[in-house]
Amino acid sequence: MAQKKTDSVKRMVELATFYVGDALCGMDILKIQEINKLTQMTKVPQAPEYVIGILNLRGQIVTIIDLGKKIGLGETEINQDSRNIIVNDSSGHVGLLVRQISDVVSADMERRESAPANMHGIQGDFFTGVYKTEQTLIGILDVDKVLSIEE
Amino acid sequence: MHIEDDEILQGFIEESLEHLADIENDLLSIEENAADVDEDLVNKVFRAAHSIKGGAGFMGLTTIQELSHAMENVLGMIRSKTLVPTPEIVNVLLLASDQLQRMIEDVQNSNDVDIESHLVPLNAIANHEFAQPAERSEARKTKTKITTPAEPEAAPAPPLSVEPAEDKDEAIEEAEAAEQLEAATASEEESASDPEDQIEHPHLTADIDDPADLTAETVSNRDNGSSKGKMETSIRVHVSLLDQLMTLAGELVLSRNQLLQTIGGEDFRNMEAVGQRIDLITSELQEAIMLTRMQPIGNVFNKFPRVVRDLSKKLGKKIDLTIIGKDVELDKTIIEAINDPLTHLVRNSVDHGIGLPDERRKAGKSETGVVQLKAFHEAGQVVIEIVDDGRGIDGDALAASAVNKGLLTLEQTQAMSEKEKVNLIFLPGFSTAKEVTDVSGRGVGMDVVKTNLDKLGGHVDIISEVGQGTTISVKLPLTLAIIPCQIIMTADERYAIPQVNLEELLRIPASQVKERIERVGTAEVVRLRGNLLPLIRLSDVIGADRTYYDPKEDMFKSDRRQLISDRRSQESPLFMDKTQAQEDRANAESSRHDRSVKDRRTSAASALNIVVVSTGSIKYGLIVDKLQDSEEIVIKPLGRHLQQCKGYAGATIMGDGRIALILDVANLARMARLTSVDGSDRATELAIAAEEAVKSKKDRQALLVFRSAEDEQFAVPLNQVDRIEKIKRSEVEIVGGKRVMQYRDGSLSLMCVDDVAMVKPLADHEDLLVVVFHIASRTVGLLAIGPIDALEISADIDESTLKQTGIMGSAIINGHTTMLVNVFELTQTLHPEWFENREVFEFNEKSGTQPPTILIAEDSNFFRNQVKGYLSEAGYHILEGEDGQVAWDLLEEHHQDVALVVTDIEMPNLNGFQLTQRIKSDQRFSGLPVIALTTLAGEEDIAKGKSVGIDEYHIKLDKERLMASVHDFVKRGR
């Protein structure tokens, strides 16, 4: 594997972690363009259920996806803690609404474990693995999968 | 091949393609000039070929280099006048330049392309032609089938190796050309014994026998290539424009700094100034950036000389193509998108429009047909016209063909106007040519053209006269990026509807909802000026919550009615069944509001706001909660997660930073399963309309109905109305004893009906309406109050009972006695000074011994008396006939006196068209001018009138224009 050949610094990935429902999830911080808490969304009737609206990010139209709904962890309530994680997508930016933002964790990707067997179903598909810190488990989100459009 | 530097290669490709684009047109002009060689032009082409050769040598593109070199040789000879550029030679050059272009577009593989078929004829020309131009042409005429190969090897192998790197030097080039000439002469001498062998080279003849085939192919190939390769990747922007952008960007940065400072210092007064500054810079920046997208339409037009030339050659026609307005600029995306439709239209003109020289001669036209391609600005749009003087489109033939194909029934076509018949060409599944040619007319063309242009927000129109020619005009918006839109609200969200789709805005007051909204099956329709318009509720189509807007509380409330005509809330508890009660509890909040108003069916909240939209052949009403302003918006695409939402064309950011979705009117109709009102439906509609017209045999008059006092209804002809403004009473100013208001940077003079006529005074309302008219080359406003409505009535006008100054008569409209206001008279009474210079005009008839006689043919007493009134007032002697036949008899009787005929169109016995036809075909009256008066000056009617010889058209009751034109004709007649 290519990863094994690279030195240990390269293996370290900064994971931005956040809560989706009650689950702590993480993703490579380099994939994130910004995190904001804009709430002035415009509803889009007819849109897929997980799209909660579109918002104006400095002149760009950003589609906001309720991450909880998308990966099957329940609807996310928009409140003081909720944030949009803006990521780059092939056709522009997409915002992922999460319940709360948590810390940035330096993670050694070598120590990443595959998703546990009991984490199956819809959610399981969206994770590439699990990272264990001293206190907790972080589900590593497969961003491309989250952004994909299922038929 | 060793291409190391991509950038240099890219530069070479771009530069070469540019050279090639010019070469084509220049070669065509060279061909036109023939022996009369324009040296500058040849030099230009020569240099272009030379630059390509130089660049190609440098990049190691040997094949390109070789071909451009061979071209250069021939061009060198043309330049030195040792070779006359005959069409054949130019053809070879054109083919070679096409090949060059293809190779340059696919540089990576260019070295593997076989260019022998181009090199051989080029070298043959270079070697032998120049010495014997006369024989050459003779040889060709005899068409000797000598197939001896011309030993292309014998042609001096171009001394290519010499120059690749250093040959930018013109001197070397000259030397080389000289060398080339020498070599050529030498080899010519060698083979002088048998020149024909050399000339009638198989490749050469092959090319020349059927050049169009090849070129047609190459043209289309090139189209694909260039539209992908050249247009999408990069764009040329003038440096001055870039500088301007830089300056603006710099200013923006400065303003931002200022803004940050101001925010820090909390200096609010300054903040406003900075805000304004940023506003200004932003709009300038936006404009400048839009400019970078503008491209001259010449980019598309420039290929047409070649297209027309090749096509006309192939078809054996003689055609002159004139191009006007190459500099007109359009947005890049539009330029790209109109390429194919325009090509199709031009090809159509050449293929179907212009006849063969023989045919044209027989028709008494010059053998050479003229096709004109014209671009110009008109009313904020760009108009492209393709005009030919060919056969024209025979509407009846089209209609017959449509019937044959089963697209329409005979009855349907009979009801169609000439113009509608011509427009049948846009129906899917139509081919006009008797034979299908491979040039155009596969029967799929025109409808695709129309669809494509519709997509761009464009509009196609055909005006054609059999035997005279066809004008196809295409109207396009300047840019697609910014479009004017009507903003509406539904379910507390804003939506934008592109203005191009907007027909009108309709508000049905709560009291009329029940009468005007009808149900046909499950569909709801509204009666609009006699036609049924299907209705779609926006919230239903897109699946938003049903709401309605309550202006009293300025909020949106959920709506539980199933049908528009249902009551929103029921007063009686008897109506409350269980489910409704539950629903009410669920909507506790809104229900309480519901209950607070007694019967909202008659409250303002129940009025319906309908946006009447059209797209292609579909027209429908969209029910929305609230109408807002129209705004210019910038279209932004939606992300891919929303691609499945077909109802939107995109989104835009509004002034407050929030987003509004742009509605796709065509897809909404599809989603609501509205069937398209296609050609046949339209025809049925027309047939019914025609039938009704025959039945009623009355003139229909479109009127604007309004009030001045609460209980007095007035009407004015709709076609006299410029526009209607809503104002507040406070906006009316009294200055110098006159009522005026500020209007479009000037003062608009205001009047009331009661200023002149003995009617009740203007109601004391806060909200007033101003109906703006254009009279005596000024604008004047008439103060009124609502409700206003535009409707079409059969003119059954009583012109005696209520007639007085300013009132021309009365009619019963919707159960109300309605007075018809004579705006002209009103204005004249109030502002006699406006008409002073006109008086002079009217009096000069007095110099004549006898007043000129005018014959009026009109079946409606009302209109006849009106017109008679105007005319006799101006001093004319009047003869009147109540139908065409009577008028004709009168004319026969007084034929030497009558100076002018003013006729209605719709009349019993002999209608206006027939009367005119009879007048114009009679020798005694052929010079007699005929003015037609009509209530419906549709384009079709005008065209029809022109064809029978009507000199001018006027709308009934438009006194001013009629009088001006009467004076004009009478004066001219003397």
Side-chain angles (χ1 to χ4, degrees):
Chain A
M1 263 178 81
Q3 240 172 7
K4 282 187 180 161
K5 284 174 197 157
T6 53
D7 57 301
S8 62
V9 182
K10 286 250 167 121
R11 291 196 318 253
M12 298 303 285
V13 170
E14 303 263 288
L15 283 181
T17 64
F18 44 85
Y19 286 96
V20 180
D22 294 328
L24 184 63
C25 302
M27 63 190 278
D28 185 347
I29 201 164
L30 294 178
K31 286 190 175 160
I32 297 175
Q33 191 204 307
E34 67 178 88
I35 295 172
N36 65 36
K37 54 172 179 179
L38 295 173
T39 51
Q40 260 206 353
M41 266 174 254
T42 300
K43 275 179 267 170
V44 184
Q46 281 190 309
E49 194 204 9
Y50 58 83
V51 173
I52 46 176
I54 49 181
L55 64 79
N56 168 17
L57 184 71
R58 295 182 295 279
Q60 270 204 331
I61 309 269
V62 179
T63 313
I64 304 294
I65 290 174
D66 182 338
L67 194 54
K69 254 191 196 167
K70 172 78 190 184
I71 64 178
L73 291 174
E75 192 174 333
T76 309
E77 188 194 341
I78 298 180
N79 56 25
Q80 277 297 312
D81 291 331
S82 63
R83 293 288 186 280
N84 300 312
I85 302 178
I86 310 291
V87 295
N88 279 314
D89 180 36
S90 53
S91 68
H93 298 313
V94 175
L96 303 173
L97 178 72
V98 299
R99 187 172 63 88
Q100 195 182 346
I101 291 291
S102 187
D103 302 328
V104 174
V105 177
S106 246
D108 183 350
M109 275 300 132
E110 292 260 287
R111 286 176 43 218
R112 180 179 60 180
E113 293 162 35
S114 57
N118 58 357
M119 198 171 146
H120 47 73
I122 316 165
Q123 302 110 293
D125 290 348
F126 293 105
F127 293 93
T128 53
V130 171
Y131 185 79
K132 199 156 60 176
T133 64
E134 272 144 47
Q135 298 92 19
T136 183
L137 278 176
I138 303 168
I140 299 171
L141 210 60
D142 182 345
V143 181
D144 294 333
K145 183 87 193 185
V146 169
L147 296 183
S148 71
I149 300 163
E150 69 272 25
E151 294 309 311
Chain B
M1 207 191 324
H2 30 93
I3 298 164
E4 277 140 31
D5 198 327
D6 247 12
E7 226 168 276
I8 294 179
L9 180 66
Q10 201 53 43
F12 164 72
I13 292 172
E14 267 171 37
E15 189 190 286
S16 303
L17 287 177
E18 240 163 67
H19 281 310
L20 282 171
D22 292 342
I23 281 185
E24 187 172 289
N25 281 334
D26 292 343
L27 280 175
L28 291 176
S29 333
I30 290 174
E31 180 183 6
E32 232 166 81
N33 297 340
D36 183 20
V37 176
D38 177 351
E39 257 180 70
D40 289 343
L41 206 58
V42 182
N43 259 329
K44 197 175 147 210
V45 182
F46 183 89
R47 276 196 304 272
H50 184 69
S51 313
I52 295 175
K53 184 180 77 171
F58 181 69
M59 312 294 294
L61 304 165
T62 47
T63 322
I64 294 177
Q65 186 191 11
E66 216 173 309
L67 186 57
S68 46
H69 177 77
M71 285 175 71
E72 191 186 323
N73 285 342
V74 175
L75 288 164
M77 289 161 74
I78 298 175
R79 184 169 66 167
S80 57
K81 305 209 173 156
T82 44
L83 182 71
V84 176
T86 61
E88 287 81 2
I89 291 175
V90 172
N91 217 352
V92 172
L93 285 170
L94 279 173
L95 289 174
S97 71
D98 286 343
Q99 178 65 41
L100 262 186
Q101 177 147 11
R102 262 171 293 163
M103 291 197 292
I104 288 167
E105 276 163 4
D106 186 17
V107 163
Q108 302 299 339
N109 303 315
S110 69
N111 278 359
D112 308 327
V113 176
D114 178 19
I115 54 163
E116 201 59 16
S117 61
H118 296 281
L119 280 184
V120 171
L122 279 173
N123 288 335
I125 295 168
N127 287 339
H128 305 289
E129 303 294 78
F130 80 95
Q132 327 219 353
E135 250 177 74
R136 178 199 52 82
S137 53
E138 196 141 326
R140 189 149 289 120
K141 269 181 203 155
T142 55
K143 289 246 170 198
T144 339
K145 295 280 178 224
I146 300 168
T147 47
T148 324
E151 303 136 335
E153 296 77 20
L160 297 179
S161 43
V162 187
E163 62 274 294
E166 71 272 56
D167 71 348
K168 295 274 172 193
D169 189 339
E170 193 62 25
I172 293 178
E173 180 41 48
E174 293 293 351
E176 184 210 317
E179 189 189 331
Q180 191 63 37
L181 280 181
E182 267 170 33
T185 327
S187 99
E188 205 278 323
E189 271 166 355
E190 256 178 310
S191 51
S193 53
D194 194 0
E196 280 179 19
D197 276 4
Q198 304 288 348
I199 296 147
E200 289 291 318
H201 189 278
H203 285 295
L204 187 53
T205 38
D207 283 349
I208 288 156
D209 274 352
D210 203 356
D213 261 346
L214 276 175
T215 43
E217 226 171 82
T218 48
V219 165
S220 58
N221 282 347
R222 214 174 33 114
D223 288 350
N224 299 339
S226 61
S227 58
K228 284 198 182 76
K230 197 160 78 185
M231 287 186 138
E232 278 174 19
T233 48
S234 68
I235 191 165
R236 261 174 187 255
V237 177
H238 205 277
V239 177
S240 66
L241 188 55
L242 269 186
D243 287 346
Q244 196 192 338
L245 280 173
M246 278 304 294
T247 320
L248 286 171
E251 275 195 53
L252 196 61
V253 171
L254 285 179
S255 309
R256 178 199 59 190
N257 295 348
Q258 247 179 342
L259 182 68
L260 291 176
Q261 245 171 27
T262 331
I263 291 172
E266 287 181 18
D267 177 355
F268 289 111
R269 206 183 311 153
N270 202 19
M271 185 120 45
E272 207 167 289
V274 177
Q276 272 173 4
R277 199 179 137 97
I278 288 183
D279 178 40
L280 203 73
I281 296 167
T282 324
S283 31
E284 270 183 50
L285 197 61
Q286 188 189 21
E287 260 169 53
I289 288 174
M290 292 304 298
L291 279 181
T292 62
R293 296 181 56 89
M294 299 304 262
Q295 304 252 291
I297 201 160
N299 288 359
V300 180
F301 278 8
N302 277 341
K303 69 169 202 176
F304 287 121
R306 176 75 185 280
V307 171
V308 171
R309 169 191 177 274
D310 289 348
L311 263 185
S312 53
K313 261 199 175 167
K314 186 176 178 187
L315 300 166
K317 295 177 180 178
K318 290 185 184 168
I319 295 173
D320 266 349
L321 177 73
T322 335
I323 292 182
I324 301 168
K326 273 188 195 181
D327 301 333
V328 170
E329 291 193 324
L330 274 170
D331 192 276
K332 183 172 150 283
T333 33
I334 299 184
I335 292 270
E336 282 163 20
I338 56 170
N339 195 355
D340 290 346
L342 272 191
T343 311
H344 193 94
L345 290 174
V346 170
R347 284 175 162 230
N348 256 339
S349 285
V350 173
D351 190 20
H352 305 312
I354 305 281
L356 292 166
D358 267 359
E359 185 189 330
R360 289 182 62 86
R361 210 179 320 112
K362 275 180 206 149
K365 292 191 235 181
S366 95
E367 284 187 16
T368 311
V370 177
V371 175
Q372 198 182 50
L373 203 54
K374 204 159 54 169
F376 55 92
H377 289 275
E378 190 184 89
Q381 287 190 310
V382 168
V383 182
I384 301 172
E385 277 186 0
I386 300 137
V387 185
D388 69 55
D389 67 342
R391 301 166 185 148
I393 298 172
D394 185 351
D396 294 328
L398 284 181
S401 159
V403 173
N404 276 342
K405 290 190 173 121
L407 297 169
L408 295 173
T409 66
L410 192 62
E411 291 75 40
Q412 284 174 331
T413 59
Q414 276 163 354
M416 293 175 114
S417 70
E418 191 60 27
K419 193 177 165 185
E420 273 170 320
K421 284 181 193 165
V422 170
N423 276 298
L424 283 176
I425 204 166
F426 291 122
L427 271 187
F430 225 95
S431 181
T432 48
K434 291 207 179 76
E435 297 160 38
V436 169
T437 69
D438 62 341
V439 181
S440 54
R442 285 181 198 84
V444 288
M446 289 302 261
D447 61 314
V448 176
V449 167
K450 189 169 162 58
T451 321
N452 285 343
L453 292 170
D454 278 351
K455 265 188 214 156
L456 294 174
H459 180 80
V460 217
D461 208 14
I462 300 187
I463 303 165
S464 183
E465 212 169 307
V466 177
Q468 296 303 306
T470 307
T471 300
I472 302 173
S473 67
V474 177
K475 279 189 189 153
L476 290 165
L478 285 176
T479 170
L480 291 179
I482 294 187
I483 54 167
C485 274
Q486 171 71 40
I487 310 297
I488 56 113
M489 283 190 94
T490 277
D492 210 9
E493 291 285 359
R494 273 172 297 186
Y495 297 90
I497 298 173
Q499 208 100 65
V500 285
N501 297 122
L502 195 68
E503 293 266 317
E504 62 186 299
L505 300 174
L506 196 62
R507 184 179 165 89
I508 299 189
S511 57
Q512 289 181 21
V513 167
K514 197 103 189 169
E515 297 98 79
R516 292 189 60 184
I517 309 287
E518 289 168 42
R519 282 186 73 188
V520 179
T522 53
E524 286 175 302
V525 293
V526 64
R527 214 165 252 291
L528 180 63
R529 285 188 289 283
N531 289 325
L532 291 179
L533 186 74
L535 288 178
I536 299 178
R537 193 187 273 268
L538 179 60
S539 51
D540 285 359
V541 175
I542 59 175
D545 299 332
R546 268 194 185 192
T547 55
Y548 67 94
Y549 174 72
D550 188 339
K552 279 194 193 124
E553 297 172 50
D554 190 23
M555 63 181 296
F556 290 85
K557 296 173 178 173
S558 72
D559 186 356
R560 287 171 288 109
R561 295 182 307 171
Q562 279 311 301
L563 293 167
I564 304 159
S565 41
D566 285 352
R567 292 172 169 220
R568 275 225 177 84
S569 64
Q570 311 288 3
E571 277 182 87
S572 158
L574 286 174
F575 284 102
M576 291 272 281
D577 57 21
K578 268 186 183 167
T579 46
Q580 194 168 7
Q582 274 164 1
E583 216 176 350
D584 279 353
R585 268 196 293 282
N587 297 323
E589 182 61 19
S590 59
S591 298
R592 224 170 297 134
H593 285 298
D594 284 358
R595 233 124 289 268
S596 64
V597 187
K598 272 198 161 178
D599 179 6
R600 277 208 333 280
R601 205 153 57 81
T602 51
S603 81
S606 281
L608 281 182
N609 291 306
I610 298 173
V611 184
V612 181
V613 291
S614 70
T615 165
S617 51
I618 310 171
K619 186 171 163 184
Y620 63 91
L622 203 58
I623 302 177
V624 303
D625 289 356
K626 197 179 171 195
L627 300 170
Q628 291 196 330
D629 292 339
S630 67
E631 274 181 44
E632 297 229 309
I633 59 158
V634 180
I635 302 181
K636 310 233 169 194
L638 289 173
R640 62 189 172 100
H641 292 95
L642 300 173
Q643 291 306 322
Q644 63 172 72
C645 309
K646 295 287 178 229
Y648 315 115
T652 187
I653 294 168
M654 306 295 294
D656 60 1
R658 293 197 58 162
I659 298 174
L661 291 160
I662 303 167
L663 297 176
D664 184 329
V665 171
N667 278 339
L668 285 181
R670 224 158 285 147
M671 284 155 56
R673 295 204 190 79
L674 273 191
T675 44
S676 131
V677 183
D678 60 12
S680 48
D681 284 356
R682 173 88 185 105
T684 325
E685 213 173 273
L686 277 169
I688 295 168
E691 211 173 292
E692 274 178 9
V694 172
K695 258 189 223 157
S696 62
K697 272 209 177 162
K698 274 180 188 163
D699 292 285
R700 289 182 76 76
Q701 176 83 19
L703 293 174
L704 177 80
V705 179
F706 61 92
R707 287 173 190 218
S708 180
E710 286 280 7
D711 50 357
E712 267 178 350
Q713 189 161 288
F714 294 97
V716 288
L718 190 58
N719 47 39
Q720 288 185 352
V721 177
D722 242 17
R723 52 182 288 139
I724 299 164
E725 298 279 343
K726 247 180 166 170
I727 61 160
K728 297 273 175 213
R729 185 170 274 274
S730 53
E731 286 174 52
V732 179
E733 298 169 43
I734 296 179
V735 182
K738 306 222 171 192
R739 245 174 313 189
V740 292
M741 66 174 267
Q742 288 172 17
Y743 180 67
R744 292 186 181 164
D745 304 329
S747 295
L748 177 72
S749 183
L750 296 176
M751 52 189 192
C752 294
V753 184
D754 59 281
D755 287 350
V756 174
M758 298 295 287
V759 296
K760 290 179 191 158
L762 183 70
D764 189 20
H765 281 199
E766 186 47 36
D767 295 303
L768 293 176
L769 296 168
V770 176
V771 187
V772 183
F773 300 93
H774 199 83
I775 281 177
S777 39
R778 291 160 190 259
T779 42
V780 61
L782 181 65
L783 285 170
I785 59 166
I788 50 167
D789 196 4
L791 37 88
E792 223 169 74
I793 59 149
S794 294
D796 198 1
I797 297 164
D798 173 352
E799 50 188 299
S800 51
T801 321
L802 293 167
K803 185 168 165 53
Q804 54 169 309
T805 316
I807 302 292
M808 55 173 115
S810 60
I812 308 291
I813 297 172
N814 290 348
H816 291 280
T817 303
T818 306
M819 284 179 266
L820 267 78
V821 177
N822 187 338
V823 184
F824 190 84
E825 222 167 66
L826 275 186
T827 323
Q828 202 173 23
T829 317
L830 289 172
H831 304 278
E833 70 280 4
W834 291 5
F835 298 88
E836 267 165 14
N837 50 349
R838 262 146 223 275
E839 293 299 319
V840 182
F841 195 50
E842 293 180 12
F843 275 115
N844 60 8
E845 282 88 35
K846 292 195 170 164
S847 52
T849 45
Q850 235 189 335
T853 305
I854 295 176
L855 175 66
I856 306 172
E858 164 71 80
D859 59 328
S860 138
N861 284 332
F862 170 71
F863 287 115
R864 194 171 64 241
N865 287 341
Q866 284 293 324
V867 176
K868 187 182 163 192
Y870 306 155
L871 292 173
S872 37
E873 208 175 291
Y876 294 103
H877 181 247
I878 305 296
L879 288 171
E880 46 183 327
E882 61 261 21
D883 66 33
Q885 189 57 49
V886 176
W888 174 252
D889 295 344
L890 277 170
L891 184 62
E892 294 227 280
E893 202 178 313
H894 303 271
H895 61 90
Q896 60 275 66
D897 302 334
V898 176
L900 177 75
V901 177
V902 177
T903 177
D904 183 24
I905 298 295
E906 305 294 336
M907 287 184 294
N909 298 331
L910 194 67
N911 73 25
F913 293 129
Q914 293 161 333
L915 176 64
T916 312
Q917 211 153 18
R918 204 180 277 190
I919 292 173
K920 292 287 173 180
S921 54
D922 192 311
Q923 280 201 331
R924 287 172 298 172
F925 311 123
S926 57
L928 186 64
V930 177
I931 297 177
L933 294 183
T934 171
T935 40
L936 20 92
E939 279 175 60
E940 297 114 77
D941 290 306
I942 293 177
K944 188 168 177 196
K946 288 256 154 76
S947 70
V948 299
I950 287 175
D951 295 271
E952 216 155 315
Y953 251 102
H954 287 289
I955 289 164
K956 277 185 187 170
L957 303 182
D958 189 349
K959 175 177 173 186
E960 200 182 337
R961 293 224 184 94
L962 172 67
M963 292 311 285
S965 129
V966 166
H967 292 315
D968 199 38
F969 274 114
V970 169
K971 261 199 286 179
R972 247 192 277 167
R974 293 199 159 175

